[in-house]
């Protein structure tokens, strides 16, 4: 049940699957297998957005500028400032365009390299593999067609002249009859692919990060829809990543095995093992207005400072066992003191401390 901060008063009931975010003055969350947003301050009036494929998964939200990104590892998308929903990942074409030469144009004889990209509104993907067209007679033209990509509105057609691919035409089919191109148009990398649905979303150094199992992924710089599969992913220690937190100059990553600090630029990370402990899934916490963040592990409560220092604040004062599989965390403020409360799912036998 979502509750008000001051009185812990029940304001709405239903099956909430975890994850909430405020965006444009409205509360977004998952309830009863749906993604919804509350449109009033009393949380009694809500607006249905869409059905969730796997409702038992926690929804992660990430606000960047005037957009709200969301993902539970299966369902994902983007909300714009005007509250409309957009698709998130857009894949680059994997097949080359179909093109051939015929008479009736102004192209001189020679070998032309043709490629295409997909467009979705103002967004453009990376380019396709290149196809080669040989023109044997002057005054010819190139007829092309490209497979229509999923969710793509149109396509940009490029042709190589010298050492550069130039934008020549727009559309899924058409003709290139002469050398008239947009010299200011640069081609995106042909290695870019659709950014997959992930969890543990974070923003760091102009890129969106997320995790899936034992790997983390990050987008191209300031291009949150695509990534380079060859370079923009990494495995931490072959165990599941439980949490990824982004600070100004580093990432803190907690797995089943240890806590790591990744500092520096994304393609040149410096990796440091901080503690060999196992985080309890779902217990991460981060205050909206105060520099209080961290998570619970089998060795106690760890807090993370704004400069990336990680400390075990409960060491030698609280004993924990390995008998907790997952849990949750919530902030409580009482008499000006902020507390973090954990609710845990217990598995296995109780420790001696727990029995006492």
């Amino acid at each position: 049940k979502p509750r008000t901060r001051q009185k812990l008063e029940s304001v709405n009931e239903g099956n909430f699957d975890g994850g909430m975010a405020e965006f444009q003055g409205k509360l977004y969350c998952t309830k009863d297998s749906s993604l919804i947003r509350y449109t009033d301050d009393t949380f009694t009036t809500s607006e249905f957005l869409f059905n969730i494929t796997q409702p038992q998964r926690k929804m992660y939200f990430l606000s960047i500028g005037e957009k709200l990104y969301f993902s539970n590892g299966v369902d994902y998308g983007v909300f714009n400032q005007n509250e409309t929903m957009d698709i998130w990942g857009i894949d680059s074409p994997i097949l080359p365009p179909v093109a051939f030469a015929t008479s009736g144009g102004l192209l001189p004889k020679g070998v032309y390299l043709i490629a295409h990209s997909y467009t979705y509104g103002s967004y453009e993907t990376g380019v396709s593999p290149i196809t080669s067209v040989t023109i044997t007679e002057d005054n010819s033209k190139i007829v092309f067609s490209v497979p229509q990509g999923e969710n793509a509105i149109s396509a940009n057609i490029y042709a190589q002249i010298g050492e550069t691919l130039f934008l020549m035409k727009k559309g899924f089919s058409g003709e290139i009859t002469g050398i008239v191109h947009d010299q200011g148009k640069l081609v995106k990398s042909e290695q870019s692919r659709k950014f997959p649905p992930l969890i543990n979303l974070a923003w760091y150094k102009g890129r969106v990060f997320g995790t899936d199992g034992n790997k983390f992924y990050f987008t191209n710089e300031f291009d949150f829809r695509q990534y380079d599969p060859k370079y923009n992913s990494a495995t931490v220690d072959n165990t599941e990543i439980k949490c990824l937190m982004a600070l100004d100059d580093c990432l803190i990553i907690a797995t089943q095995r240890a806590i790591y600090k990744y500092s520096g630029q994304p393609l040149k990370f410096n990796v440091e093992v901080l503690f060999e402990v196992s985080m309890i899934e779902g217990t991460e916490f981060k205050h909206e207005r105060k520099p209080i963040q961290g998570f619970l592990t089998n060795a106690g409560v760890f807090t993370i400072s704004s400069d990336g220092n990680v400390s075990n604040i409960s060491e030698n004062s609280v004993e924990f066992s390995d008998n907790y599989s997952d849990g949750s965390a919530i902030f409580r403020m009482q008499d000006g003191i902020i507390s973090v409360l954990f609710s845990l799912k217990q598995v296995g036998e109780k420790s001696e401390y727990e029995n006492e």
Side-chain angles (χ1 to χ4, degrees):
K1 300 179 181 180
R3 300 175 184 270
T4 61
R5 178 174 297 174
Q6 298 296 328
K7 301 179 182 178
L8 291 181
E9 175 187 354
S10 175
V11 294
N12 205 294
E13 295 187 3
N15 294 316
F16 292 87
D17 299 311
M20 292 184 176
E22 186 275 333
F23 181 66
Q24 301 292 321
K26 298 180 180 180
L27 180 68
Y28 288 71
C29 63
T30 57
K31 176 188 176 184
D32 298 331
S33 304
S34 302
L35 182 63
I36 65 172
R37 61 182 165 218
Y38 286 101
T39 56
D40 64 336
D41 294 336
T42 61
F43 308 108
T44 56
T45 304
S46 63
E47 179 183 355
F48 168 83
L49 300 174
F50 73 90
N51 288 319
I52 297 173
T53 304
Q54 296 187 19
Q56 300 302 317
R57 302 174 67 94
K58 176 183 176 180
M59 188 67 73
Y60 291 81
F61 296 91
L62 180 63
S63 179
I64 304 176
E66 298 177 349
K67 295 182 181 294
L68 178 67
Y69 295 81
F70 65 92
S71 174
N72 63 3
V74 178
D75 306 292
Y76 71 144
V78 184
F79 286 103
N80 301 308
Q81 185 180 21
N82 60 5
E83 299 183 350
T84 59
M85 191 174 71
D86 210 345
I87 63 173
W88 185 346
I90 301 177
D91 215 346
S92 300
I94 59 175
L95 298 175
V98 175
F100 61 89
T102 186
S103 59
L106 300 175
L107 293 176
K109 61 183 178 180
V111 177
Y112 294 78
L113 303 181
I114 311 296
H116 72 281
S117 64
Y118 291 135
T119 58
Y120 184 91
S122 60
Y123 182 81
E124 181 182 10
T125 70
V127 297
S128 68
I130 293 174
T131 189
S132 176
V133 178
T134 300
I135 294 180
T136 58
E137 300 289 339
D138 290 337
N139 298 321
S140 296
K141 63 183 179 181
I142 296 174
V143 179
F144 67 86
S145 63
V146 302
Q148 186 165 350
E150 181 182 8
N151 299 312
I153 295 177
S154 185
N156 286 345
I157 310 301
Y158 293 88
Q160 184 173 5
I161 303 171
E163 298 295 327
T164 307
L165 279 171
F166 289 98
L167 175 63
M168 304 292 289
K169 288 284 185 176
K170 296 185 178 183
F172 294 111
S173 61
E175 299 177 347
I176 301 174
T177 58
I179 304 176
V180 178
H181 56 76
D182 182 355
Q183 296 188 38
K185 186 66 178 179
L186 300 177
V187 182
K188 286 191 175 182
S189 169
E190 65 273 13
Q191 303 299 326
S192 294
R193 291 292 177 260
K194 176 172 65 176
F195 196 56
L198 303 168
I199 62 173
N200 295 314
L201 302 180
W203 186 88
Y204 177 72
K205 301 292 185 182
R207 304 172 190 262
V208 173
F209 281 71
T211 70
D212 180 17
N214 64 353
K215 297 184 68 174
F216 69 84
Y217 300 78
F218 51 95
T219 64
N220 296 337
E221 190 172 16
F222 297 108
D223 178 1
F224 306 145
R225 294 184 186 270
Q226 293 195 308
Y227 81 116
D228 187 334
K230 185 176 180 180
Y231 298 106
N232 294 19
S233 64
T235 300
V236 180
D237 61 12
N238 292 318
T239 65
E240 183 179 1
I241 298 174
K242 300 292 188 179
C243 179
L244 185 152
M245 288 187 171
L247 305 174
D248 290 341
D249 296 313
C250 68
L251 296 173
I252 301 298
I253 299 178
T255 72
Q256 288 180 315
R257 181 179 298 170
I259 301 174
Y260 299 85
K261 182 177 182 179
Y262 280 67
S263 56
Q265 293 299 322
L267 296 175
K268 298 179 181 179
F269 274 126
N270 178 48
V271 183
E272 182 181 357
V273 182
L274 301 180
F275 297 93
E276 293 186 356
V277 296
S278 178
M279 177 190 163
I280 300 175
E281 185 173 357
T283 60
E284 64 271 18
F285 55 89
K286 183 176 182 179
H287 200 277
E288 294 178 356
R289 297 178 180 87
K290 297 182 181 295
I292 305 173
Q293 58 188 336
F295 40 73
L296 184 65
T297 75
N298 62 346
V301 181
F302 282 77
T303 59
I304 306 169
S305 65
S306 58
D307 58 0
N309 289 323
V310 180
S311 303
N312 185 350
I313 64 172
S314 57
E315 189 174 13
N316 300 325
S317 61
V318 178
E319 177 187 350
F320 279 83
S321 70
D322 292 321
N323 294 338
Y324 299 109
S325 61
D326 59 82
S328 61
I330 186 173
F331 282 105
R332 181 181 69 176
M333 178 176 286
Q334 185 174 3
D335 299 328
I337 299 175
I338 297 176
S339 303
V340 182
L341 308 182
F342 298 102
S343 175
L344 304 174
K345 180 184 293 184
Q346 186 169 352
V347 294
E349 298 181 358
K350 290 185 178 180
S351 67
E352 181 180 351
Y353 173 80
E354 292 166 331
N355 284 324
E356 293 177 354

